[in-house]
Amino acid sequence: MNTFDSRGKDPLFTGTIYGLLVLTLLVILAPFLYVVASSFATEQEFVSRGFFIFPHEWTIEAYGYLLSNDNFMRSFRNAVTITVTGTAINIVLTSLMAYGLSKNWLKGRRTINFMVLFTMIFAGGMIPTYLVVKELGLLNSYWALYLTGAIAPFNLIVMRSFFQNIPAELEESAKIDGCSEWRLFWQIVMPLSMPAVVTFTLFYAVHNWNTYFYAILFLNNSHDMPLQVFLRQMLIESDSSMEVGAGGFSYTPAVKMAAVLITAFPLLVVYPFMQKYFNKGMLMGSVKG
């Protein structure tokens, strides 16, 4: 018996797929809504009700406390500094190296490509990395964070493939018109590679924004710690050691939920504007290896 409709699709199969997608959406959305609702709820309601989506009494006290908390705001500013500066360094260095490795005339190109691939498979490890950073005198400096993750091998390989897809005739015509290699790269190649640039800008920005392990490894000054370290201290430490603010208001469950949302908010705002470049950048960069 033919169960396909006029468009050649099986209604049962299509319905099953949509059902699974809706179920997956609910599984993902329920915890998120719980976090949002908890951040606007009072401490009494949080303790008495357990799981809920809509609080009975709405309050922004948790957000007000965080925004007036010097430790939180300082760590937020540190995270912004690390993300903006680190991502700029990442993109510039990755783009320059990927552009050079995309040229067949580059001497030693195969050896350098092999070394890049080797580092992607075999990492140096925590202790050797720490010793190198220490010998360079970069401890307690954000440069330890910037330089240890300056170029991600996977991002470099994909961006190199993207540059290889740019027609060679375009570059040749630009050089005939007197365009230098630097001007060719910045004014022609980079604008044409905007999908890849935006895609890896997002990758690097997420990585820098979520910096945690290297921060506690290389930074000793608590005033330099980024936002993720502050969240760890707030979410994991026992309530008896929590800081108590004015009026006896401490890191209550509502404050913890509000901190999680504020931490995720910048990325949630930026991602929709980059999404149109995201799929295109990854697809075009993966076509040619």
Side-chain angles (χ1 to χ4, degrees), residues 31-42:
F32 177 75
L33 293 177
Y34 171 69
V35 172
V36 174
S38 300
S39 67
F40 289 100
T42 61

Side-chain angles (χ1 to χ4, degrees), residues 43 54 142 147 150 176 222 254:
E43 183 177 5
F54 296 100
Y142 284 157
L147 297 182
I176 292 174
S222 60

Side-chain angles (χ1 to χ4, degrees), residues 154-166:
F154 173 80
N155 297 349
L156 173 67
I157 292 173
V158 177
M159 186 169 285
R160 180 202 64 191
S161 301
F162 194 99
F163 288 148
Q164 288 175 334
N165 290 328
I166 297 178

Side-chain angles (χ1 to χ4, degrees), residues 79 83 204-213 226 228-229 263-264 267:
T83 301
Y204 280 125
V206 172
H207 171 75
N208 290 318
W209 182 259
N210 292 326
T211 296
Y212 169 74
F213 180 74
Q228 301 302 328
V229 178
T263 303
L267 297 180

Side-chain angles (χ1 to χ4, degrees), residues 71-88:
N71 293 332
F72 177 81
M73 295 306 299
R74 181 172 55 247
S75 63
F76 190 93
R77 289 192 296 268
N78 293 339
V80 172
T81 301
I82 293 172
T83 301
V84 173
T85 307
T87 302

Side-chain angles (χ1 to χ4, degrees), residues 15-277:
T16 302
I17 294 299
Y18 279 112
L20 291 175
L21 290 176
V22 172
L23 180 62
T24 303
L25 177 63
L26 292 177
V27 171
I28 297 174
L29 195 59
F32 177 75
L33 293 177
Y34 171 69
V35 172
V36 174
S38 300
S39 67
F40 289 100
T42 61
E43 183 177 5
Q44 294 77 11
E45 184 173 4
F46 187 92
V47 174
S48 61
R49 293 187 61 188
F51 183 85
F52 57 90
I53 300 298
F54 296 100
H56 292 158
E57 181 180 351
W58 294 77
T59 177
I60 59 172
E61 189 177 17
Y63 292 94
Y65 174 76
L66 281 177
L67 296 179
S68 62
N69 187 306
D70 292 337
N71 293 332
F72 177 81
M73 295 306 299
R74 181 172 55 247
S75 63
F76 190 93
R77 289 192 296 268
N78 293 339
V80 172
T81 301
I82 293 172
T83 301
V84 173
T85 307
T87 302
I89 294 174
N90 295 144
I91 287 298
V92 171
L93 295 182
T94 302
S95 301
L96 289 173
M97 187 172 181
Y99 180 71
L101 292 177
S102 67
K103 303 304 176 183
N104 295 326
W105 47 260
L106 181 67
K107 294 182 179 180
R109 175 173 172 266
R110 287 181 174 272
T111 302
I112 299 175
N113 280 324
F114 172 78
M115 294 173 64
V116 171
L117 182 62
F118 186 85
T119 59
M120 185 172 65
I121 301 174
F122 302 99
M126 179 184 66
I127 296 178
T129 302
Y130 179 84
L131 293 177
V132 171
V133 171
K134 181 180 178 181
E135 290 300 320
L136 292 175
L138 297 178
L139 290 180
N140 296 321
S141 170
Y142 284 157
W143 284 104
L145 305 179
Y146 301 150
L147 297 182
T148 51
I151 299 177
F154 173 80
N155 297 349
L156 173 67
I157 292 173
V158 177
M159 186 169 285
R160 180 202 64 191
S161 301
F162 194 99
F163 288 148
Q164 288 175 334
N165 290 328
I166 297 178
E169 294 79 8
L170 181 62
E171 299 183 12
E172 292 174 359
S173 62
K175 291 181 180 180
I176 292 174
D177 292 336
C179 186
S180 65
E181 198 72 46
W182 281 102
R183 185 178 178 186
L184 171 65
F185 175 74
W186 291 112
Q187 296 187 6
I188 296 178
V189 174
M190 289 299 285
L192 291 175
S193 307
M194 194 54 62
V197 172
V198 173
T199 298
F200 293 114
T201 296
L202 179 62
F203 282 0
Y204 280 125
V206 172
H207 171 75
N208 290 318
W209 182 259
N210 292 326
T211 296
Y212 169 74
F213 180 74
Y214 276 178
I216 62 176
L217 183 64
F218 299 135
L219 303 177
N220 294 325
N221 192 342
S222 60
H223 289 159
D224 296 332
M225 292 298 181
L227 191 56
Q228 301 302 328
V229 178
F230 176 86
L231 288 181
R232 181 259 179 190
Q233 295 172 347
M234 184 176 63
L235 297 176
I236 296 181
E237 290 180 3
S238 62
D239 291 338
S240 59
S241 63
M242 289 299 178
E243 176 185 342
V244 178
F249 191 68
S250 62
Y251 292 141
T252 62
V255 174
K256 297 176 183 178
M257 298 299 183
V260 171
L261 287 178
I262 293 177
T263 303
F265 182 75
L267 297 180
L268 293 176
V269 171
V270 171
Y271 180 75
F273 297 98
M274 294 185 171
Q275 187 176 10
K276 64 178 181 179
Y277 297 101

